[in-house]
């Protein structure tokens, strides 16, 4: 999947960048030259190209036309009362958690208790004062503003987000939760552009769980960018649940690099937002590196959910596995674009990709585009995609045994999604995500 800004529209840039003149001087770290340059480069790039359009092959199936027509104001630091926060922990259990409301850190809702010595978990706004070198060495290295307009837009507004740094050899036993709450405003459309930095040094291990939820009824835009560094022999499990509100637009770009013997494990479950796009780029830059990029999506009504992935095997003996399954109802639309690239010299690569979609109505739509690009001759790579309806024979079998139609349909959908959920290595998190699926199915009845 080659990305080009040829399909972007510079005419859409002014509406997004105009408010930056008002807030730019008040952004954290305005006195740091490297950050000022990063923001300026993002602003300049986005001003030149604007939002991507369907003329760009990578955005062929996701149209941001309505987004371009909306005038967004930067979300103000939110002091909203948050009476519920999602978690994968059992009732009564504590653990490290950072909470961001409309893109800004909320210390009163956060905790770093339970982390091993040396592990750093803090907001970018705080890290700009205490960990400047760490940020300067990593932010912008993987997610470049020059080839992706929305990354450029994020860089232009870069102000806050979570930072996790796990030193070499340290294993974090408790899941680290990152909670993003969108509240917005009833009177105007608002936007935020959180940046996330995850660093797992050599031989370390950590589990990160992201929750994205909505608490307001207004139109919100959350334009997330995440950069992930997995060192030699390190393992990072990175799980995400996106349950934003019905007025939300959720755009996310994750860029990861994996060193020799490392493993980056990513899973995204999408049930929320009126329009969402999750883009994951995982690059295996060391020998014997591994990555799992999987997930599930359940959409209905007029929702639009786009999953776009790129796995790059840059070195020999790499292994990748990708399993995405989706359920689409009413007139909702889903997009899956998955590409595996095997670079010259990346011999003994083992790549597997699967996308399956279940259509529950005549108006539901799936656009699936799996790709393999192989420049080595000693590899094992496969991909496949299918789309279909519920099996009438299986439905009849359950109905014949006294199970009502809604329950029978829920059982079949749950069984269909189980293969992707099994990709979640951590049992407690798998159970929590299965609970989200069960809740979605209950709402279907």
């Amino acid at each position: 999947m080659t990305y080009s800004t040829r399909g972007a529209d510079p005419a859409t840039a002014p509406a997004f960048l105009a408010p930056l003149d008002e807030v730019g001087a008040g952004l954290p770290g305005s006195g740091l030259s490297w950050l000022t340059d990063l923001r300026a480069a993002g602003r300049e790039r986005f001003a030149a190209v604007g939002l991507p359009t369907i003329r760009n092959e990578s955005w062929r199936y996701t149209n941001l036309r309505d987004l371009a027509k909306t005038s967004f104001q930067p979300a103000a630091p939110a002091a909203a009362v948050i009476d519920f926060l999602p978690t994968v922990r059992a009732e009564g259990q504590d653990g490290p958690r950072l909470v961001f409301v409309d893109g800004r850190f909320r210390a009163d809702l956060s905790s770093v208790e339970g982390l091993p010595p040396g592990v750093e978990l803090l907001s970018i706004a705080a890290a700009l004062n205490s960990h400047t070198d760490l940020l300067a060495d990593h932010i912008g290295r993987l997610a470049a503003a020059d080839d992706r307009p929305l990354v450029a837009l994020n860089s232009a507004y870069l102000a806050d987000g979570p930072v996790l740094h796990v030193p070499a050899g340290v294993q974090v036993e408790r899941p680290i939760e990152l909670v993003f709450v969108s509240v917005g405003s009833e009177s105007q459309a608002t936007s935020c552009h959180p940046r996330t930095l995850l660093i797992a040094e050599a031989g370390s291990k950590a589990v990160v769980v992201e929750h994205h939820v909505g608490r307001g009824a207004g139109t919100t835009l959350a334009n997330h960018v995440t950069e992930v560094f997995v060192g030699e022999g390190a393992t990072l499990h990175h799980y995400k649940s996106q349950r934003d509100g019905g007025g939300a637009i959720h755009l996310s770009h994750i860029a990861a690099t994996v060193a020799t013997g490392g493993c980056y494990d990513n899973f995204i479950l999408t049930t929320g937002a009126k329009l969402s796009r999750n883009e994951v780029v995982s690059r295996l830059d060391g020998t014997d590196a591994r990555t799992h990029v999987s997930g599930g999506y359940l959409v209905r009504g007029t929702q639009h959910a786009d999953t776009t992935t790129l796995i790059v095997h840059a070195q020999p003996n790499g292994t990748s596995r990708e399993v995405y399954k989706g359920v689409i109802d009413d007139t909702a639309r889903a997009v899956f674009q998955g590409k595996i690239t095997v670079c010259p010299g990346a011999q003994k690569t083992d790549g597997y990709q699967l996308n399956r979609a279940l259509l529950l109505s005549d108006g539901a739509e799936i656009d699936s585009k799996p790709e393999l690009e192989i420049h080595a001759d000693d590899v094992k790579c496969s991909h496949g995609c299918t789309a279909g309806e519920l099996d009438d024979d299986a439905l009849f079998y359950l109905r014949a045994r006294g199970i009502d139609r809604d329950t029978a349909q829920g059982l079949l959908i749950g069984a269909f999604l189980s293969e992707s959920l099994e990709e979640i290595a951590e049992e407690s998190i798998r159970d929590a995500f299965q609970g989200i699926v069960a809740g979605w199915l209950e709402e279907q009845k």
Side-chain angles (χ1 to χ4, degrees):
M1 190 184 322
T2 302
Y3 193 93
S4 167
T5 54
R6 183 172 55 187
D9 181 7
T12 62
F16 285 88
L17 290 176
L20 188 59
D21 295 329
E22 304 169 12
V23 302
L27 294 176
S30 56
L32 299 172
S33 59
W34 68 268
L35 184 55
T36 299
D37 292 344
L38 182 71
R39 288 170 176 157
R43 180 180 174 83
E44 180 180 352
R45 184 57 178 165
F46 189 76
V49 301
L51 291 172
T53 73
I54 57 174
R55 295 192 302 273
N56 185 299
E57 182 62 27
S58 179
W59 288 84
R60 178 181 175 186
Y61 303 108
T62 298
N63 197 331
L64 299 182
R65 179 180 53 206
D66 291 340
L67 178 63
K69 296 177 181 178
T70 305
S71 178
F72 288 92
Q73 294 295 318
V81 175
I82 308 297
D83 55 5
F84 170 77
L85 291 172
T87 182
V88 296
R89 307 184 201 283
E91 186 175 354
Q93 286 187 345
D94 295 323
R97 175 176 67 189
L98 295 188
V99 178
F100 296 81
V101 179
D102 286 336
R104 295 302 181 97
F105 178 60
R106 284 281 296 268
D108 59 313
L109 301 174
S110 304
S111 171
V112 294
E113 294 184 3
L115 289 173
V119 175
E120 295 164 310
L121 179 64
L122 69 168
S123 69
I124 282 180
L128 287 171
N129 296 320
S130 59
H131 296 74
T132 304
D133 291 343
L134 180 71
L135 299 188
D137 290 343
H138 292 88
I139 288 183
R141 272 185 53 193
L142 302 181
D146 57 355
D147 63 350
R148 284 180 167 81
L150 291 170
V151 172
L153 182 62
N154 178 282
S155 296
Y157 280 96
L158 199 157
D160 213 348
V163 177
L164 171 66
H165 178 219
V166 185
V170 175
Q171 298 198 2
V172 184
E173 299 298 333
R174 296 184 179 183
I176 297 167
E177 296 190 289
L178 308 176
V179 183
F180 299 86
V181 183
S182 293
V183 176
S185 168
E186 295 182 1
S187 60
Q188 62 184 13
T190 61
S191 64
C192 64
H193 305 270
R195 191 74 158 228
T196 298
L197 178 61
L198 306 177
I199 305 168
E201 293 191 357
S204 66
K205 180 179 179 181
V207 178
V208 176
V209 184
E210 288 187 30
H211 306 273
H212 297 259
V213 293
R215 288 292 175 264
T219 299
T220 60
L221 165 65
N223 176 33
H224 294 264
V225 171
T226 300
E227 293 175 284
V228 182
F229 296 82
V230 180
E232 290 190 11
T235 298
L236 182 64
H237 299 283
H238 185 196
Y239 306 124
K240 172 180 174 180
S241 165
Q242 189 275 102
R243 290 181 282 170
D244 281 318
I249 299 166
H250 180 99
L251 305 174
S252 170
H253 176 77
I254 298 173
T257 180
V258 188
T260 297
C263 177
Y264 175 60
D265 176 27
N266 176 278
F267 187 96
I268 300 174
L269 178 62
T270 295
T271 60
K274 65 178 179 181
L275 185 153
S276 64
R277 176 178 166 106
N278 285 294
E279 184 172 325
V280 182
V281 178
S282 184
R283 183 180 175 89
L284 304 182
D285 281 320
T287 58
D288 298 298
R290 295 170 291 135
T291 190
H292 302 157
V293 178
S294 299
Y297 46 91
L298 301 95
V299 289
R300 57 188 167 213
T302 58
Q303 285 181 278
H304 180 105
D306 180 330
T307 299
T308 297
T309 67
L310 172 61
I311 297 172
V312 180
H313 288 265
Q315 297 296 332
N317 300 307
T319 302
S320 64
R321 178 176 175 85
E322 182 171 13
V323 177
Y324 261 94
K325 286 196 168 186
V327 178
I328 310 151
D329 200 1
D330 303 320
T331 58
R333 182 181 184 184
V335 177
F336 175 81
Q337 300 180 103
K339 183 175 183 179
I340 297 175
T341 296
V342 181
C343 297
Q347 306 292 359
K348 303 297 182 181
T349 286
D350 185 352
Y352 173 81
Q353 181 191 92
L354 175 68
N355 173 233
R356 287 180 177 165
L358 190 59
L359 306 177
L360 301 183
S361 69
D362 292 339
E365 181 179 341
I366 173 70
D367 296 291
S368 189
K369 184 185 175 186
E371 295 181 82
L372 295 177
E373 183 179 312
I374 301 173
H375 301 280
D377 56 12
D378 186 9
V379 303
K380 182 173 68 174
C381 292
S382 64
H383 69 88
C385 67
T386 61
E389 302 175 345
L390 283 173
D391 188 328
D392 287 336
D393 290 340
L395 192 60
F396 175 80
Y397 177 87
L398 294 174
R399 295 290 307 281
R401 276 146 184 81
I403 301 175
D404 65 86
R405 182 178 183 83
D406 288 341
T407 301
Q409 181 170 286
L411 289 171
L412 293 176
I413 293 172
F416 170 78
L417 289 169
S418 63
E419 182 178 1
S420 62
L421 290 169
E422 286 299 321
E423 296 298 311
I424 300 176
E426 301 292 319
E427 183 177 357
S428 62
I429 299 170
R430 183 167 64 246
D431 290 344
F433 278 36
Q434 285 175 336
I436 295 172
V437 171
W440 189 91
L441 293 173
E442 185 64 27
E443 293 173 359
Q444 279 289 96
K445 295 181 179 179

